[in-house]
Amino acid sequence: MLYSEKELAKRLHSGCALFYFYAADEALVRAAANEALRFLNQSDPETTVLDGPTPTVEEIVLAAGTISFFGGKRLVLMPMVRPSTYSDKDLQELCDTLADTENAIFVITSVIEEKFGKLRPGKREQKLIAACEKIGYCVQINKPGRNELQSLARSWAQESGATFAQGAETALLDRCGEDQFLLRNEIAKLAALANYDTITLQMVQQLGTVTLDADTFEMVELVVSGRIDQAQKRLKTLLELQNDPIMITGALIGNYLDLYRVLQGKRSRRSLADVAKDFGYGGKWSYRLGKVERSASRFKRHQLEQCLTILQRLDLDLKSSKLDADLLMQKALCELALAGRRL
């Protein structure tokens, strides 16, 4: 079953005894669990937390059997449970205990591995999911798409008493990526900067923390479009913010690999969806690879291969040379610009 806020509210009001949320992203299950706890804590604010990944049956029985001071059922939160770390015997005992306990409400979360954009639960994970489906509300939470993230960003801003100017939330998503923890934290900072009024594009550019991947992606676009001076300034800012030069280089390599994969996919008449599936880009592929495709169209295959060679050499130099990292990276950006020039 897939997650639905409407169905969650229905189960919460019906007195459901177990809520199990699983997804590939911890932020998703944590948000859903907090939503359930927010309602459940109204009638009984006491919650016993059994930290994962493998709470024992004894711990669960003890927590569930403790009488609540407020007279209701005991709330037992089991975050980040990993079914794969249980033995078959212990997992069966866990499932039996969850089914047999009558005086507790369980809220359980798990992160499950994702491959090619889909969750791939293992044998033990499937067993716990099947058991929880029989007991209560057991749901898979999918990553929100870009439109959903924009809607979430606007709602989080409103919760803080602020609003986004046109295009500001889009710019923030470009900079933060799909990390919801980072996105929500940045919105809280921006709301304060805006004095809980309107968050402008300029504020996002001024204050917004970015993921290294997003910043280097912008830097690559500057290099590809011939704006090498602006790319050099972006690099200088990253270094001043104490980003590791080797990590910056690794992110640059990842961005040029994106260009290479998209270009090769186009030459092989494969769609962006095919490229995304082949290389496990997940739900972000539509927006991200769409931007990559525009930049990739400027290159020939041998040019991108040369760019990757330049970055590989930079990586080796940073790890072995005594030369200044800033100088090495500035030099590499110039070489990348020359390698990508149209002939």
Side-chain angles (χ1 to χ4, degrees), residues 20 48 90 176 274 328 336:
Y20 183 29
T48 300
D90 288 343
C176 289
D274 291 331
L328 288 170
L336 290 171

Side-chain angles (χ1 to χ4, degrees), residues 18-33 50 52-55 77-86 91 94 98 107-114 119 121-122 124-129 132 138-142:
L18 181 144
F19 299 86
Y20 183 29
F21 306 104
Y22 60 94
D25 187 339
E26 181 179 345
L28 297 177
V29 294
R30 182 178 294 190
L50 302 179
T54 53
L77 174 61
M78 297 167 57
M80 300 301 106
V81 170
R82 282 191 213 158
S84 60
T85 58
Y86 282 95
L91 182 61
L94 170 63
L98 293 174
V107 179
I108 309 169
T109 62
S110 292
V111 171
I112 293 178
E113 184 179 359
E114 183 182 60
L119 294 188
R124 291 190 176 94
E125 290 164 334
Q126 292 177 30
K127 182 178 180 66
L128 181 59
I129 289 169
C132 290
C138 174
V139 289
Q140 171 183 326
I141 308 176
N142 290 330

Side-chain angles (χ1 to χ4, degrees), residues 252-270:
L252 284 171
I253 291 172
N255 281 290
Y256 272 92
L257 279 173
D258 288 343
L259 292 169
Y260 188 81
R261 290 164 177 166
V262 169
L263 181 64
Q264 287 298 95
K266 189 175 181 180
R267 287 164 59 94
S268 303
R269 300 184 182 279
R270 292 181 66 76

Side-chain angles (χ1 to χ4, degrees), residues 148-160:
E148 292 172 293
L149 280 174
Q150 285 182 277
S151 178
L152 281 173
R154 288 192 291 268
S155 67
W156 289 335
Q158 289 173 358
E159 288 175 10
S160 300

Side-chain angles (χ1 to χ4, degrees), residues 65-242:
T66 303
I67 298 174
S68 171
F69 179 79
F70 295 88
K73 289 187 176 183
R74 190 77 178 185
L75 297 182
V76 181
L77 174 61
M78 297 167 57
M80 300 301 106
V81 170
R82 282 191 213 158
S84 60
T85 58
Y86 282 95
S87 67
D88 289 338
K89 178 177 179 294
D90 288 343
L91 182 61
Q92 184 61 55
E93 288 184 357
L94 170 63
C95 295
D96 292 342
T97 301
L98 293 174
D100 293 341
T101 303
E102 297 180 354
N103 60 334
I105 299 175
F106 295 98
V107 179
I108 309 169
T109 62
S110 292
V111 171
I112 293 178
E113 184 179 359
E114 183 182 60
K115 292 181 180 179
F116 304 119
K118 293 185 178 180
L119 294 188
R120 304 293 183 186
K123 181 180 177 181
R124 291 190 176 94
E125 290 164 334
Q126 292 177 30
K127 182 178 180 66
L128 181 59
I129 289 169
C132 290
E133 285 177 341
K134 295 178 181 178
I135 303 168
Y137 184 54
C138 174
V139 289
Q140 171 183 326
I141 308 176
N142 290 330
K143 290 182 180 179
R146 188 172 176 84
N147 289 338
E148 292 172 293
L149 280 174
Q150 285 182 277
S151 178
L152 281 173
R154 288 192 291 268
S155 67
W156 289 335
Q158 289 173 358
E159 288 175 10
S160 300
T163 58
F164 280 105
Q166 184 175 0
E169 78 272 23
T170 302
L172 184 60
L173 284 174
D174 289 347
R175 297 168 73 81
C176 289
E178 298 180 354
D179 188 328
Q180 293 187 56
F181 285 139
L182 177 60
L183 183 61
R184 194 158 194 168
N185 288 338
E186 289 304 293
I187 289 171
K189 289 195 296 182
L190 288 164
L193 178 65
N195 198 25
Y196 303 99
D197 194 356
T198 303
I199 299 171
T200 66
L201 179 60
Q202 290 73 24
M203 291 176 184
V204 172
Q205 294 171 339
Q206 171 188 344
L207 184 65
T209 299
V210 299
T211 63
L212 193 55
D213 179 70
D215 237 345
T216 53
F217 183 69
E218 291 180 9
M219 195 156 62
V220 168
E221 288 191 312
L222 291 171
V223 171
V224 171
S225 62
R227 291 175 286 174
I228 187 65
D229 288 344
Q230 293 181 45
Q232 301 274 21
K233 289 179 182 178
R234 182 62 56 83
L235 173 61
K236 184 177 181 181
T237 300
L238 284 176
L239 293 171
E240 287 175 348
L241 291 172
Q242 304 299 311

